[in-house]
Amino acid sequence: MSRFWSDHVAGLVPYTPGEQPKVADLLKLNTNENPYGPSPQALKAMKEAADGRLRLYPDPEAAALREAIAAYHGVASAQVFVGNGSDEVLAHVFHGLFLRGGRPLLMPDITYSFYPTYCRLYGIPCETVALRDDFALDPQDYVGGQGRGAAGIIFANPNAPTGMALDLDAVAGICRANPDTVVVVDEAYVDFGAESAVALLPRHDNLLVVHTLSKSRSLAGLRVGYAMGSADLIEGLRRIKDSFNSYPLDMLAQAGALAAIQDKAYFDKTRQAIMRSRDQLAVDLAQMGFDVLPSMANFVFARHRSSDAVKLAAALRERHILVRHFALPRIDQYLRITIGTDADCARLCAALAEILGKAQ
Ligand code: PMP
């Protein structure tokens, strides 16, 4: 606590990102990064954009990138908002759409842990709704949200850190049951096999869908995310952005992201490889005594039937393999393991076999 801080700073509980240690031969399966690297077209576009034009400010509206995103998803560019990673987009969503006179924001009890952090930052009451015992989200739990005076509803689909996905009928049902409440679907992991709610946008003006280039486009280091929704919602976000930072995406990020969105062949090849490796890893982990939740993401969430999760994570760390553990109620015996290449998965399985063999 410093005597120089603004009043609310001492009360904040900041989000803790997965660590990024600099160790040789480290296998990082802890932050859902993509093992394949960005599209070569994206790298080329950024190299070509790195010249004397950098003396100028970038396009504050990122018009060319928003056009490309709109064309890819079949929406209008007035329905697209871009930001410095989807975390920044989400921050503006909380600030611009969920700060509604002390009304609570509804979210699952187990979901992306940045949501409660933003609630604390902006002073939004957070009302958690328990997932079912099998970690499935029950859409019925959100049907009365509007009646309960909710400021909004947010969930990740597929959910994090479970990886479990909801089908489009369920998402549509939640939107339909809360027509005057904003429903935000965070689709950070949707490209690994789930259905995108973008298809529902023409029918639901209360729906906002958030995407990132950090996972399926392998550009976590570039920091580009975006939201799609009715022009009204997008205009609200733009007003927040232009009251905060008019230039969230630099010129290189705009050029690289645009090329990445347009390189459909590389995108499809790499996400298919990750989905194949994920399905194989789930089988291999089950054979080693893990219960693995059905994942539609680039990670699996798994619990060993007889070995403690914290001890397993520590033993993997000794072998220079990082996985993510959350010391939270209901999930503290689970490990979230990012899908790497087949060679990465093989190294993980060999390490686990050795650790579990010794434990017996
Ligand atoms: N949403 C979810 C569900 C996530 O897991 C993440 C990654 N930590 C993000 C959003 C943020 O991703 P980024 O800021 O890299 O776009």
Side-chain angles (χ1 to χ4, degrees):
M1 171 78 191
S2 158
R3 70 185 198 285
F4 299 115
W5 290 355
S6 298
D7 298 342
H8 70 301
V9 175
L12 295 177
V13 185
Y15 176 76
T16 317
E19 47 184 332
Q20 301 282 3
K22 302 281 170 278
V23 177
D25 87 332
L26 184 69
L27 179 51
K28 273 195 83 266
L29 304 178
N30 65 330
T31 49
N32 299 339
E33 287 146 335
N34 185 318
Y36 292 109
S39 147
Q41 297 298 327
L43 296 177
K44 183 164 165 268
M46 287 187 273
K47 282 179 191 140
E48 284 171 7
D51 62 20
R53 284 171 295 174
L54 283 170
R55 77 183 183 81
L56 301 171
Y57 284 101
D59 175 4
E61 299 305 327
L65 172 59
R66 285 176 43 240
E67 277 294 336
I69 292 170
Y72 177 82
H73 287 287
V75 299
S77 64
Q79 291 183 276
V80 179
F81 175 82
V82 294
N84 190 253
S86 59
D87 279 341
E88 186 190 78
V89 173
L90 287 166
H92 292 338
V93 167
F94 276 64
H95 201 180
L97 305 176
F98 292 155
L99 195 50
R100 306 292 302 271
R103 283 152 61 189
L105 175 65
L106 304 190
M107 67 181 75
D109 61 339
I110 297 163
T111 191
Y112 185 32
S113 46
F114 225 132
Y115 305 154
T117 301
Y118 290 132
C119 280
R120 286 186 294 266
L121 177 62
Y122 294 116
I124 300 164
C126 168
E127 188 175 319
T128 57
V129 182
L131 293 177
R132 293 198 314 231
D133 287 345
D134 63 356
F135 296 118
L137 185 153
D138 185 345
Q140 286 305 319
D141 290 340
Y142 293 85
V143 162
Q146 196 167 304
R148 303 212 293 278
I153 294 170
I154 187 167
F155 53 90
N157 192 37
N159 199 8
T162 64
M164 289 168 63
L166 211 55
D167 64 35
L168 275 199
D169 282 349
V171 177
I174 294 172
C175 294
R176 215 179 303 115
N178 301 279
D180 296 320
T181 303
V182 177
V183 176
V184 176
V185 186
D186 178 352
E187 296 189 338
Y189 301 103
V190 77
D191 294 325
F192 301 105
E195 293 176 287
S196 174
V198 171
L200 303 176
L201 288 176
R203 270 169 288 143
H204 300 282
D205 65 355
N206 57 331
L207 171 65
L208 190 82
V209 182
V210 180
H211 279 208
T212 177
L213 273 70
S214 298
K215 317 292 178 183
S216 55
R217 308 272 175 183
S218 198
L219 283 168
L222 199 63
R223 312 304 304 129
V224 183
Y226 57 97
M228 291 165 288
S230 61
D232 256 11
L233 294 179
I234 298 305
E235 172 60 11
L237 296 177
R238 197 185 63 77
R239 291 173 70 103
I240 292 282
K241 168 188 92 88
D242 286 336
S243 306
F244 176 82
N245 174 10
S246 308
Y247 307 105
L249 292 193
D250 61 64
M251 275 183 198
L252 305 185
Q254 293 187 31
L258 190 151
I261 293 285
Q262 289 179 336
D263 192 351
K264 180 105 178 34
Y266 184 83
F267 168 70
D268 280 334
K269 190 172 82 177
T270 47
R271 72 192 179 113
Q272 298 293 346
I274 289 169
M275 286 189 269
R276 272 196 307 273
S277 305
R278 172 192 66 207
D279 296 345
Q280 184 58 48
L281 181 64
V283 171
D284 295 344
L285 289 174
Q287 272 171 6
M288 283 190 272
F290 282 89
D291 293 326
V292 186
L293 299 188
S295 172
M296 287 289 185
N298 68 336
F299 56 82
V300 291
F301 203 48
R303 170 181 65 181
H304 195 265
R305 282 181 223 118
S306 55
S307 293
D308 178 71
V310 174
K311 288 190 185 141
L312 274 180
L316 285 171
R317 170 184 288 270
E318 279 170 23
R319 290 159 178 81
H320 294 177
I321 300 174
L322 296 185
V323 297
R324 191 88 195 256
H325 174 260
F326 297 92
L328 293 172
R330 293 181 72 188
I331 56 169
D332 65 342
Q333 279 310 309
Y334 281 82
L335 296 176
R336 193 195 67 188
I337 305 171
T338 303
I339 307 304
T341 61
D342 283 339
D344 295 339
C345 294
R347 179 172 157 199
L348 169 80
C349 288
L352 282 172
E354 187 195 294
I355 294 162
L356 295 166
K358 270 193 194 154
Q360 270 156 20

mmCIF file of all heavy atoms in Angstrom, residues 217-241:
data_model
loop_
_atom_site.group_PDB
_atom_site.id
_atom_site.type_symbol
_atom_site.label_atom_id
_atom_site.label_comp_id
_atom_site.label_asym_id
_atom_site.label_seq_id
_atom_site.Cartn_x
_atom_site.Cartn_y
_atom_site.Cartn_z
ATOM 1 N N ARG A 217 -4.567 -18.489 -34.411
ATOM 2 C CA ARG A 217 -3.718 -17.806 -35.393
ATOM 3 C C ARG A 217 -2.288 -17.684 -34.896
ATOM 4 O O ARG A 217 -1.454 -17.047 -35.546
ATOM 5 C CB ARG A 217 -4.239 -16.401 -35.698
ATOM 6 C CG ARG A 217 -5.707 -16.360 -36.075
ATOM 7 C CD ARG A 217 -5.934 -16.552 -37.552
ATOM 8 N NE ARG A 217 -7.373 -16.612 -37.815
ATOM 9 C CZ ARG A 217 -7.893 -16.826 -39.012
ATOM 10 N NH1 ARG A 217 -7.112 -16.987 -40.062
ATOM 11 N NH2 ARG A 217 -9.187 -16.892 -39.168
ATOM 12 N N SER A 218 -2.026 -18.196 -33.716
ATOM 13 C CA SER A 218 -0.652 -18.274 -33.188
ATOM 14 C C SER A 218 0.039 -16.912 -33.129
ATOM 15 O O SER A 218 1.211 -16.788 -33.466
ATOM 16 C CB SER A 218 0.166 -19.251 -34.045
ATOM 17 O OG SER A 218 1.311 -19.660 -33.338
ATOM 18 N N LEU A 219 -0.702 -15.885 -32.704
ATOM 19 C CA LEU A 219 -0.121 -14.539 -32.637
ATOM 20 C C LEU A 219 -0.284 -13.933 -31.239
ATOM 21 O O LEU A 219 -0.570 -12.741 -31.103
ATOM 22 C CB LEU A 219 -0.771 -13.637 -33.694
ATOM 23 C CG LEU A 219 -0.294 -13.856 -35.134
ATOM 24 C CD1 LEU A 219 -1.204 -13.142 -36.129
ATOM 25 C CD2 LEU A 219 1.156 -13.377 -35.316
ATOM 26 N N ALA A 220 -0.056 -14.749 -30.206
ATOM 27 C CA ALA A 220 -0.226 -14.230 -28.833
ATOM 28 C C ALA A 220 0.682 -13.032 -28.583
ATOM 29 O O ALA A 220 0.321 -12.094 -27.865
ATOM 30 C CB ALA A 220 0.051 -15.338 -27.818
ATOM 31 N N GLY A 221 1.880 -13.043 -29.196
ATOM 32 C CA GLY A 221 2.829 -11.956 -28.969
ATOM 33 C C GLY A 221 2.453 -10.665 -29.675
ATOM 34 O O GLY A 221 2.988 -9.599 -29.359
ATOM 35 N N LEU A 222 1.534 -10.731 -30.630
ATOM 36 C CA LEU A 222 1.174 -9.529 -31.401
ATOM 37 C C LEU A 222 0.101 -8.706 -30.704
ATOM 38 O O LEU A 222 0.010 -7.507 -30.901
ATOM 39 C CB LEU A 222 0.693 -9.940 -32.797
ATOM 40 C CG LEU A 222 0.700 -8.870 -33.877
ATOM 41 C CD1 LEU A 222 2.118 -8.392 -34.160
ATOM 42 C CD2 LEU A 222 0.066 -9.385 -35.167
ATOM 43 N N ARG A 223 -0.727 -9.383 -29.882
ATOM 44 C CA ARG A 223 -1.801 -8.755 -29.123
ATOM 45 C C ARG A 223 -2.888 -8.185 -30.036
ATOM 46 O O ARG A 223 -3.009 -6.962 -30.209
ATOM 47 C CB ARG A 223 -1.275 -7.641 -28.180
ATOM 48 C CG ARG A 223 -0.080 -8.011 -27.326
ATOM 49 C CD ARG A 223 -0.289 -9.249 -26.461
ATOM 50 N NE ARG A 223 -1.437 -9.135 -25.606
ATOM 51 C CZ ARG A 223 -2.396 -10.076 -25.529
ATOM 52 N NH1 ARG A 223 -2.334 -11.188 -26.245
ATOM 53 N NH2 ARG A 223 -3.407 -9.924 -24.723
ATOM 54 N N VAL A 224 -3.680 -9.061 -30.610
ATOM 55 C CA VAL A 224 -4.835 -8.622 -31.403
ATOM 56 C C VAL A 224 -6.055 -9.467 -31.025
ATOM 57 O O VAL A 224 -5.995 -10.700 -31.048
ATOM 58 C CB VAL A 224 -4.584 -8.745 -32.924
ATOM 59 C CG1 VAL A 224 -5.797 -8.210 -33.701
ATOM 60 C CG2 VAL A 224 -3.329 -7.981 -33.339
ATOM 61 N N GLY A 225 -7.121 -8.792 -30.671
ATOM 62 C CA GLY A 225 -8.396 -9.460 -30.421
ATOM 63 C C GLY A 225 -9.493 -8.614 -31.017
ATOM 64 O O GLY A 225 -9.265 -7.452 -31.397
ATOM 65 N N TYR A 226 -10.694 -9.177 -31.132
ATOM 66 C CA TYR A 226 -11.792 -8.378 -31.695
ATOM 67 C C TYR A 226 -13.127 -8.843 -31.182
ATOM 68 O O TYR A 226 -13.260 -9.957 -30.665
ATOM 69 C CB TYR A 226 -11.747 -8.379 -33.228
ATOM 70 C CG TYR A 226 -11.780 -9.724 -33.935
ATOM 71 C CD1 TYR A 226 -12.975 -10.237 -34.426
ATOM 72 C CD2 TYR A 226 -10.621 -10.455 -34.130
ATOM 73 C CE1 TYR A 226 -13.011 -11.444 -35.102
ATOM 74 C CE2 TYR A 226 -10.650 -11.673 -34.811
ATOM 75 C CZ TYR A 226 -11.841 -12.168 -35.293
ATOM 76 O OH TYR A 226 -11.887 -13.367 -35.963
ATOM 77 N N ALA A 227 -14.112 -7.955 -31.302
ATOM 78 C CA ALA A 227 -15.484 -8.273 -30.907
ATOM 79 C C ALA A 227 -16.388 -8.023 -32.096
ATOM 80 O O ALA A 227 -16.119 -7.141 -32.918
ATOM 81 C CB ALA A 227 -15.913 -7.394 -29.739
ATOM 82 N N MET A 228 -17.455 -8.826 -32.185
ATOM 83 C CA MET A 228 -18.452 -8.639 -33.254
ATOM 84 C C MET A 228 -19.845 -8.589 -32.628
ATOM 85 O O MET A 228 -20.155 -9.403 -31.739
ATOM 86 C CB MET A 228 -18.375 -9.806 -34.247
ATOM 87 C CG MET A 228 -17.092 -9.794 -35.063
ATOM 88 S SD MET A 228 -16.824 -11.377 -35.900
ATOM 89 C CE MET A 228 -16.378 -12.416 -34.522
ATOM 90 N N GLY A 229 -20.645 -7.653 -33.099
ATOM 91 C CA GLY A 229 -21.989 -7.524 -32.558
ATOM 92 C C GLY A 229 -22.741 -6.464 -33.336
ATOM 93 O O GLY A 229 -22.269 -5.980 -34.376
ATOM 94 N N SER A 230 -23.902 -6.076 -32.817
ATOM 95 C CA SER A 230 -24.694 -5.059 -33.511
ATOM 96 C C SER A 230 -23.902 -3.745 -33.521
ATOM 97 O O SER A 230 -23.069 -3.488 -32.638
ATOM 98 C CB SER A 230 -26.034 -4.857 -32.786
ATOM 99 O OG SER A 230 -25.789 -4.422 -31.472
ATOM 100 N N ALA A 231 -24.171 -2.897 -34.528
ATOM 101 C CA ALA A 231 -23.430 -1.645 -34.672
ATOM 102 C C ALA A 231 -23.546 -0.787 -33.404
ATOM 103 O O ALA A 231 -22.611 -0.077 -33.039
ATOM 104 C CB ALA A 231 -23.950 -0.887 -35.902
ATOM 105 N N ASP A 232 -24.667 -0.900 -32.705
ATOM 106 C CA ASP A 232 -24.881 -0.179 -31.433
ATOM 107 C C ASP A 232 -23.862 -0.556 -30.369
ATOM 108 O O ASP A 232 -23.277 0.298 -29.701
ATOM 109 C CB ASP A 232 -26.230 -0.638 -30.860
ATOM 110 C CG ASP A 232 -27.306 0.365 -31.046
ATOM 111 O OD1 ASP A 232 -27.078 1.316 -31.799
ATOM 112 O OD2 ASP A 232 -28.378 0.163 -30.425
ATOM 113 N N LEU A 233 -23.699 -1.866 -30.199
ATOM 114 C CA LEU A 233 -22.747 -2.355 -29.204
ATOM 115 C C LEU A 233 -21.332 -1.928 -29.585
ATOM 116 O O LEU A 233 -20.546 -1.490 -28.742
ATOM 117 C CB LEU A 233 -22.807 -3.887 -29.082
ATOM 118 C CG LEU A 233 -24.099 -4.493 -28.534
ATOM 119 C CD1 LEU A 233 -24.006 -6.023 -28.492
ATOM 120 C CD2 LEU A 233 -24.399 -3.956 -27.138
ATOM 121 N N ILE A 234 -21.011 -2.056 -30.875
ATOM 122 C CA ILE A 234 -19.657 -1.733 -31.340
ATOM 123 C C ILE A 234 -19.379 -0.242 -31.154
ATOM 124 O O ILE A 234 -18.294 0.158 -30.726
ATOM 125 C CB ILE A 234 -19.501 -2.149 -32.836
ATOM 126 C CG1 ILE A 234 -19.691 -3.670 -32.981
ATOM 127 C CG2 ILE A 234 -18.158 -1.693 -33.402
ATOM 128 C CD1 ILE A 234 -18.796 -4.537 -32.129
ATOM 129 N N GLU A 235 -20.387 0.585 -31.411
ATOM 130 C CA GLU A 235 -20.213 2.039 -31.237
ATOM 131 C C GLU A 235 -19.948 2.372 -29.751
ATOM 132 O O GLU A 235 -19.127 3.239 -29.430
ATOM 133 C CB GLU A 235 -21.453 2.772 -31.771
ATOM 134 C CG GLU A 235 -21.522 4.261 -31.506
ATOM 135 C CD GLU A 235 -20.372 5.077 -32.112
ATOM 136 O OE1 GLU A 235 -19.602 4.534 -32.922
ATOM 137 O OE2 GLU A 235 -20.223 6.258 -31.723
ATOM 138 N N GLY A 236 -20.608 1.641 -28.856
ATOM 139 C CA GLY A 236 -20.355 1.841 -27.419
ATOM 140 C C GLY A 236 -18.901 1.531 -27.074
ATOM 141 O O GLY A 236 -18.250 2.279 -26.322
ATOM 142 N N LEU A 237 -18.384 0.451 -27.647
ATOM 143 C CA LEU A 237 -16.989 0.070 -27.382
ATOM 144 C C LEU A 237 -16.032 1.107 -27.971
ATOM 145 O O LEU A 237 -15.012 1.435 -27.373
ATOM 146 C CB LEU A 237 -16.700 -1.321 -27.961
ATOM 147 C CG LEU A 237 -17.491 -2.468 -27.342
ATOM 148 C CD1 LEU A 237 -17.177 -3.780 -28.053
ATOM 149 C CD2 LEU A 237 -17.186 -2.589 -25.856
ATOM 150 N N ARG A 238 -16.363 1.591 -29.157
ATOM 151 C CA ARG A 238 -15.488 2.581 -29.797
ATOM 152 C C ARG A 238 -15.418 3.863 -28.956
ATOM 153 O O ARG A 238 -14.356 4.474 -28.821
ATOM 154 C CB ARG A 238 -15.993 2.900 -31.207
ATOM 155 C CG ARG A 238 -14.936 3.580 -32.086
ATOM 156 C CD ARG A 238 -15.505 3.992 -33.431
ATOM 157 N NE ARG A 238 -16.576 4.980 -33.298
ATOM 158 C CZ ARG A 238 -16.398 6.280 -33.056
ATOM 159 N NH1 ARG A 238 -15.189 6.776 -32.934
ATOM 160 N NH2 ARG A 238 -17.428 7.090 -32.938
ATOM 161 N N ARG A 239 -16.536 4.225 -28.365
ATOM 162 C CA ARG A 239 -16.529 5.428 -27.509
ATOM 163 C C ARG A 239 -15.614 5.233 -26.304
ATOM 164 O O ARG A 239 -14.921 6.161 -25.885
ATOM 165 C CB ARG A 239 -17.962 5.763 -27.054
ATOM 166 C CG ARG A 239 -18.846 6.245 -28.202
ATOM 167 C CD ARG A 239 -20.287 6.404 -27.735
ATOM 168 N NE ARG A 239 -20.419 7.530 -26.819
ATOM 169 C CZ ARG A 239 -20.930 8.712 -27.141
ATOM 170 N NH1 ARG A 239 -21.381 8.924 -28.356
ATOM 171 N NH2 ARG A 239 -21.003 9.673 -26.242
ATOM 172 N N ILE A 240 -15.615 4.029 -25.754
ATOM 173 C CA ILE A 240 -14.704 3.739 -24.625
ATOM 174 C C ILE A 240 -13.258 3.777 -25.112
ATOM 175 O O ILE A 240 -12.392 4.417 -24.510
ATOM 176 C CB ILE A 240 -15.015 2.354 -24.005
ATOM 177 C CG1 ILE A 240 -16.370 2.369 -23.299
ATOM 178 C CG2 ILE A 240 -13.899 1.919 -23.051
ATOM 179 C CD1 ILE A 240 -16.357 3.026 -21.932
ATOM 180 N N LYS A 241 -12.979 3.095 -26.227
ATOM 181 C CA LYS A 241 -11.610 3.065 -26.764
ATOM 182 C C LYS A 241 -11.081 4.479 -26.978
ATOM 183 O O LYS A 241 -9.960 4.810 -26.573
ATOM 184 C CB LYS A 241 -11.582 2.309 -28.100
ATOM 185 C CG LYS A 241 -10.261 2.478 -28.866
ATOM 186 C CD LYS A 241 -10.321 1.892 -30.274
ATOM 187 C CE LYS A 241 -10.724 2.882 -31.331
ATOM 188 N NZ LYS A 241 -9.705 3.679 -31.975
#
